[in-house]
Amino acid sequence: MKFLGYHHEKPHADLAKQLSRYHQTDHKTNVWNAFVDSDLPGITDDDFSIIPRVLPMSYWPTLEKNVYLVTKFALKLLSLPEKEIRAIIPKGPTRDHLLDQLEVLKFRRGRITGSFRYDMAIVGPPDKHHPPVLLEINEIGFDGLARSSFFQKVLLDLMPDLRGRLKSLDTAAAEVRNMRRLGKKIMRIQYDEYNWDEQYLYQIAQEMGSELKLVSPSQFGQKIGKECPLLEQHRVKVIKNKVTIGKNWQPDAVNFSFAYGLKDYQECHPMYRSLVEARTPQYGPFLTGLVAAKTILVLLDDPLLRKKLLGSSKALQASILPAHILSSPEAQIILKKPHEWVIKHTDGCGGSQVFMNKELDEELRKIPSKRRHEWVLQKKTELNLIDVNGILSRPKQAISDLGVFVQYDWADGRFQKFEIGGLMCRATNKSLKVNVSSGGSQVAVLLDRAT
């Protein structure tokens, strides 16, 4: 695809010259060999750029400020009285299940600890005049958290002359540190397997002295293959209000490994309900599913709600794209120029149920009027172009998002901790959706201390 008029983002000229030395076959071979030697399963299945995306360190305050405000908005919303939350967050299949079946608001403990991945975009030069634009929020089972740490380590090990200039963020270590705010013993609920990202997180947790158990609850009824030796299978119980597995192992917190749709919640409802009611905290609780729905994009676009939660209607204004519920009167006017918009199902994840251009027109005809409140229209934006060179592809220019990993601990209406623990991005020249499953490439993101 050709992306006309998109900003082409490049590192500073002298750094670009240094990076050009690694834009060649020997370096690609070295990266491939480092991946294979790691013995992490499936690590070479997806494309990865042998050169990083480099952002100026001077951009960090702009990035941090806007990411902080998005996180504050989400957590303050989740701290409101139940009546207000029900009135503010639009109805949707998962939202209704969380509120009415799991009753996540009824069993709030006043503390929310976990992590988010914001899919964002830089549109224009990465400077204070171009804050990152939010595309969506991911809150449970999102990918890339530990792999971003591994990617950066591999590249810096293979580019030692740049190690002093380029700053990396260890996302996996940041996640483990944040988990330890709840305790050293963490049970991570898997389904029937784990990927190399999760195996690397497990390794980092061990190195840092934490006990991270990967557990497939026997309630799932899944057969665990020999290719997943770290995965234990136990019946997950709640004994005296504490989550328990085996004879008497009680974790300090429970974490979830995959993105939950309505069917996932319904499949093992009794177990999930018992976890919500238990006194054992959840790291990345089901409660946050209320702000991961795409309808959060509409709420963030509401100046009155920004004033209520952030103290100013102008806060985040430049980082929020216009968004509307499909059933709203505004949406009917907007649809006269549908090519300028993207349509997303409120509970879609992993790039699914996102449509634009011709696909948008086709999908609109399929959506019954009684389901229109489950869809969100979001204004398109022109994600920056970057140069990539994949282990499975040729050098090219591609549009790129920016994955921002946030670790937080929120209690009594304020942050006990807030940290941007890591950065990563995905890039593609095959579609307008930057997603690895749609032919995209994974790209490490580093910060240039000299700019």
Side-chain angles (χ1 to χ4, degrees):
M1 293 180 69
K2 296 186 182 296
F3 300 98
L4 301 176
Y6 286 61
H7 177 76
H8 188 186
E9 185 180 299
K10 297 181 180 181
H12 193 270
D14 64 325
L15 178 60
K17 185 176 180 180
Q18 287 181 278
L19 285 170
S20 67
R21 297 202 299 268
Y22 296 98
H23 218 313
Q24 35 78 13
T25 304
D26 286 348
H27 181 55
K28 185 176 290 194
T29 301
N30 291 337
V31 171
W32 178 273
N33 289 340
F35 279 24
V36 173
D37 291 345
S38 72
D39 289 327
L40 293 167
I43 192 171
T44 57
D45 290 350
D46 298 317
D47 204 8
F48 170 71
S49 176
I50 64 170
I51 54 172
R53 179 183 189 178
V54 180
L55 295 175
M57 195 70 205
S58 59
Y59 191 61
W60 183 258
T62 299
L63 176 68
E64 186 176 45
K65 176 185 175 183
N66 287 273
V67 170
Y68 174 89
L69 289 175
V70 171
T71 312
K72 184 178 180 181
F73 181 99
L75 297 176
K76 286 204 76 170
L77 175 59
L78 293 176
S79 302
L80 292 174
E82 179 172 350
K83 186 175 181 180
E84 288 189 57
I85 291 177
R86 285 181 174 274
I88 291 170
I89 300 179
K91 283 183 168 292
T94 298
R95 174 264 195 202
D96 295 346
H97 185 83
L98 290 172
L99 291 181
D100 301 329
Q101 303 302 318
L102 286 181
E103 296 187 282
V104 293
L105 296 181
K106 179 179 178 181
F107 297 99
R108 284 183 292 182
R109 308 298 182 193
R111 184 181 184 186
I112 313 171
T113 309
S115 54
F116 290 127
R117 188 193 78 201
Y118 298 140
D119 292 344
M120 308 186 89
I122 302 175
V123 184
D127 57 31
K128 65 180 181 180
H129 304 296
H130 298 89
V133 174
L134 181 69
L135 301 176
E136 60 184 66
I137 295 177
N138 301 276
E139 99 299 2
I140 292 176
F142 53 78
D143 205 11
L145 198 153
R147 69 178 61 198
S148 64
S149 293
F150 181 84
F151 289 155
Q152 292 176 37
K153 182 180 184 303
V154 166
L155 290 188
L156 289 177
D157 284 348
L158 295 174
M159 300 187 299
D161 56 317
L162 292 173
R163 184 178 289 278
R165 176 164 180 173
L166 298 179
K167 177 181 173 61
S168 65
L169 300 174
D170 192 341
T171 326
E175 184 78 345
V176 174
R177 283 195 305 271
N178 203 44
M179 285 178 168
R180 287 179 67 158
R181 295 178 71 86
L182 297 178
K184 290 185 178 181
K185 298 191 299 181
I186 306 294
M187 181 177 74
R188 184 172 170 90
I189 290 183
Q190 310 288 132
Y191 196 70
D192 59 352
E193 61 181 1
Y194 52 83
N195 59 27
W196 75 262
D197 184 346
E198 293 165 310
Q199 181 170 325
Y200 191 64
L201 179 66
Y202 174 90
Q203 292 175 7
I204 296 301
Q206 280 195 315
E207 290 173 11
M208 295 176 66
S210 288
E211 186 177 5
L212 179 65
K213 280 186 182 288
L214 307 181
V215 176
S216 174
S218 59
Q219 288 96 320
F220 289 161
Q222 297 300 307
K223 184 177 180 180
I224 309 303
K226 293 181 180 179
E227 67 278 8
C228 292
L230 302 177
L231 186 54
E232 304 177 23
Q233 192 166 43
H234 299 282
R235 185 163 191 84
V236 176
K237 311 178 289 287
V238 175
I239 299 175
K240 294 182 179 180
N241 238 352
K242 291 283 188 178
V243 175
T244 307
I245 63 170
K247 289 185 178 179
N248 57 6
W249 193 82
Q250 294 185 329
D252 297 314
V254 177
N255 181 225
F256 306 97
S257 71
F258 54 93
Y260 280 77
L262 182 60
K263 289 183 179 179
D264 300 300
Y265 283 117
Q266 292 172 332
E267 178 185 358
C268 221
H269 174 73
M271 183 187 74
Y272 293 139
R273 175 64 189 234
S274 71
L275 294 180
V276 170
E277 293 183 23
R279 299 295 300 185
T280 304
Q282 297 172 32
Y283 181 86
F286 287 146
L287 173 68
T288 58
L290 294 171
V291 295
K294 302 302 183 293
T295 47
I296 191 66
L297 302 171
V298 179
L299 302 182
L300 281 159
D301 189 35
D302 185 340
L304 294 179
L305 198 51
R306 292 202 303 272
K307 185 174 182 179
K308 175 183 177 67
L309 299 177
L310 300 178
S312 171
S313 59
K314 295 181 180 179
L316 280 178
Q317 194 168 23
S319 285
I320 302 302
L321 294 168
H324 304 276
I325 301 291
L326 183 58
S327 59
S328 69
E330 295 89 349
Q332 309 318 306
I333 299 171
I334 286 166
L335 288 175
K336 293 178 181 178
K337 294 183 178 179
H339 63 280
E340 296 179 2
W341 296 80
V342 181
I343 189 171
K344 303 178 177 183
H345 189 270
T346 185
D347 295 334
C349 61
S352 64
Q353 293 183 287
V354 176
F355 305 96
M356 59 190 83
N357 299 340
K358 184 179 178 181
E359 287 185 344
L360 185 151
D361 292 329
E362 293 172 355
E363 194 62 27
L364 279 174
R365 288 193 285 271
K366 299 177 186 176
I367 303 172
S369 57
K370 64 180 180 180
R371 296 286 185 187
R372 290 201 155 207
H373 68 281
E374 298 176 9
W375 292 82
V376 170
L377 279 169
Q378 186 182 38
K379 190 75 179 287
K380 272 187 191 176
T381 193
E382 297 179 336
L383 291 72
N384 281 2
L385 284 167
I386 61 171
D387 294 307
V388 294
N389 186 353
I391 59 172
L392 303 177
S393 60
R394 299 175 181 176
K396 57 180 176 284
Q397 292 179 13
I399 56 171
S400 60
D401 69 355
L402 181 66
V404 182
F405 299 96
V406 170
Q407 282 73 36
Y408 63 84
D409 190 5
W410 175 271
D412 301 320
R414 63 187 182 87
F415 285 108
Q416 309 302 308
K417 178 190 175 182
F418 167 84
E419 178 183 7
I420 297 180
L423 303 170
M424 194 178 120
C425 81
R426 299 163 299 182
T428 185
N429 70 341
K430 295 185 177 181
S431 76
L432 291 173
K433 291 196 285 186
V434 279
N435 193 287
V436 174
S437 61
S438 302
S441 177
Q442 305 161 110
V443 186
V445 179
L446 300 169
L447 298 165
D448 184 1
R449 292 186 175 98
T451 57

